[in-house]
Amino acid sequence: MSTEKNVLVLGGTVFLSEAIAKHAVARGHRVTVASRGTTGEPPEGAGFVKLDRATGEGLDALRGEEFDAVFDVARVPGYIGPVLDALADHAGHWSLVSTISVYARNDVVSDELHEPTAPDSTDPGWEIYGASKVACEQLVRDRMGDKGFITRPGLIVGPRDRNDRLGYWPLRFAEGGEVLAPGTPERRVQWIDVEDYAAWLLDAADTGLTGTIDAIGEPLAFGAFLDGVADVLIERGVIAERPNLTWVPQEFLAEHGVNPWAGPDSLGMWVPSPEYDGMQGRPGGPAAAAGFRASPLDVTVNRWWDANAEAPQLKAGLTREKENAVLAAWHRDPDRVAHHEGERHFTVPEPGNLKYEG
């Protein structure tokens, strides 16, 4: 166990920031959670400061405090600057959770970034999500220098993901029957487990790791991903055999109103190719070299199932009625897609398609 530290988690009540706070408490740190307190309670064992970054309310309660490590998941640069002004000189290590949406291109792996918004921008719009995060990164680098650690996660999955992108698949498989699968089995998918991510961020604070790194595991073929999900459910006795998957071309899915990624009428974790090949193919080696350890897929799926099995309820995704209608249409005319190549009209949540609600 690491030496006890004074830790501040800005947020701390939702998904990733909550996981960071819980892990920090479990490691024996003195943890303060600072947030508006409107999205949940801080983890047991953590202190709480009411902080409204839009108005500055609560900053005085933190001003002058000494923190060994600060963790921030904010996406609005105008809300980061005042916190840095108040705390930067009293923080030993500052970890900003950014996003791979800072990259200007999704179709290829590229290091080109969006042009940043103004550093004092308070616009919370998701349409400028990536550009806002670029500005947030610059603020942290400018103020924290060699004490700043910036990570750019891809899709974060786990039991508290409000979009249920991972959860769609084990719940769907448990229902049985013919299952609609998107595109081709070779299509890549990539993620980072929220528990692994939180643990790594705390390890980085312990060791003083700095710099800017993508936070992502290695990509996996979608077919192998679905096989892995099924294997967990078979081992647990939830299903007897792997599901009957029907792989339907993405052009046909678009024509019939099936959406990628997350939200209504979507197939979780899938995004179209080639438009998002780069987003789902960033190298995981740099994170691994910096100490990140990705859990095997079965561990990630088991974590999700353990947290949801007692009251399984899909919060987002394709309904059974919609799925059955699309499958019926496909079986009636599987060649129809050949007449519609190049006419895809996907609705992909942009640019907040990777938002983690942390």
Side-chain angles (χ1 to χ4, degrees):
M1 179 180 293
S2 58
T3 304
E4 183 185 57
K5 296 181 183 296
N6 197 21
V7 171
L8 173 65
V9 182
L10 296 163
T13 61
V14 177
F15 201 33
L16 174 60
S17 63
E18 179 187 27
I20 295 169
K22 284 183 175 179
H23 277 255
V25 169
R27 294 188 183 198
H29 297 319
R30 300 185 305 278
V31 180
T32 300
V33 165
S35 72
R36 291 179 299 169
T38 59
T39 56
E41 298 295 323
E44 184 177 353
F48 178 74
V49 171
K50 182 175 177 60
L51 173 65
D52 187 338
R53 293 157 73 124
T55 64
E57 178 189 357
L59 265 181
D60 287 343
L62 299 172
R63 204 180 304 273
E65 291 288 322
E66 298 286 337
F67 293 102
D68 297 298
V70 176
F71 299 89
D72 195 3
V73 298
R75 62 185 174 89
V76 178
Y79 297 166
I80 283 188
V83 175
L84 283 164
D85 290 341
L87 302 177
D89 294 337
H90 302 276
H93 187 269
W94 196 287
S95 183
L96 173 70
V97 174
S98 185
T99 171
I100 62 170
S101 287
V102 297
Y103 296 115
R105 297 188 63 177
N106 290 320
D107 59 330
V108 296
V109 176
S110 168
D111 292 332
E112 178 188 355
L113 301 178
H114 287 290
E115 287 296 319
T117 61
D120 59 352
S121 169
T122 57
D123 185 344
W126 287 112
E127 67 277 4
I128 57 169
Y129 176 58
S132 293
K133 280 288 196 178
V134 175
C136 293
E137 290 186 4
Q138 291 181 350
L139 286 168
V140 171
R141 289 192 195 95
D142 290 345
R143 290 304 309 274
M144 297 308 302
D146 61 2
K147 295 191 293 183
F149 183 48
I150 297 167
T151 51
R152 296 170 173 167
L155 169 60
I156 308 174
V157 303
R160 298 291 293 269
D161 176 11
R162 295 180 175 183
N163 292 308
D164 255 354
R165 288 163 287 201
L166 170 69
Y168 175 84
W169 295 106
L171 283 182
R172 176 62 192 91
F173 287 179
E175 292 180 4
E178 184 183 12
V179 176
L180 178 65
T184 67
E186 295 77 26
R187 178 75 178 94
R188 291 182 298 186
V189 63
Q190 202 170 20
W191 68 88
I192 185 169
D193 186 307
V194 67
E195 300 294 328
D196 300 339
Y197 192 12
W200 180 44
L201 292 175
L202 285 162
D203 289 344
D206 284 345
T207 61
L209 184 62
T210 61
T212 303
I213 305 176
D214 286 350
I216 198 68
E218 293 291 350
L220 185 68
F222 214 101
F225 164 72
L226 294 184
D227 285 345
V229 172
D231 288 344
V232 169
L233 298 187
I234 292 170
E235 184 176 346
R236 298 183 73 115
V238 176
I239 59 177
E241 58 186 4
R242 287 185 178 176
N244 175 22
L245 300 177
T246 297
W247 294 90
V248 174
Q250 56 188 16
E251 291 82 4
F252 194 89
L253 298 179
E255 181 183 340
H256 287 81
V258 178
N259 295 322
W261 200 250
D265 292 335
S266 69
L267 291 174
M269 302 182 71
W270 160 66
V271 287
S273 176
E275 295 92 331
Y276 289 85
D277 285 352
M279 192 188 77
Q280 291 285 266
R282 297 200 69 85
F292 172 66
R293 297 294 175 263
S295 293
L297 174 59
D298 66 311
V299 172
T300 294
V301 176
N302 271 305
R303 284 172 178 162
W304 190 94
W305 192 264
D306 287 341
N308 290 275
E310 289 188 8
Q313 181 178 1
L314 191 64
K315 296 184 283 292
L318 195 65
T319 65
R320 296 294 72 73
E321 293 79 12
K322 177 79 170 182
E323 180 188 32
N324 289 337
V326 175
L327 285 169
W330 172 248
H331 290 306
R332 283 195 303 269
D333 190 8
D335 295 324
R336 184 179 180 188
V337 68
H339 307 300
H340 291 266
E341 290 181 357
E343 298 181 16
R344 297 178 295 166
H345 300 286
F346 292 108
T347 301
V348 181
E350 278 277 19
N353 54 1
L354 295 175
K355 67 188 178 75
Y356 44 82
E357 300 186 30

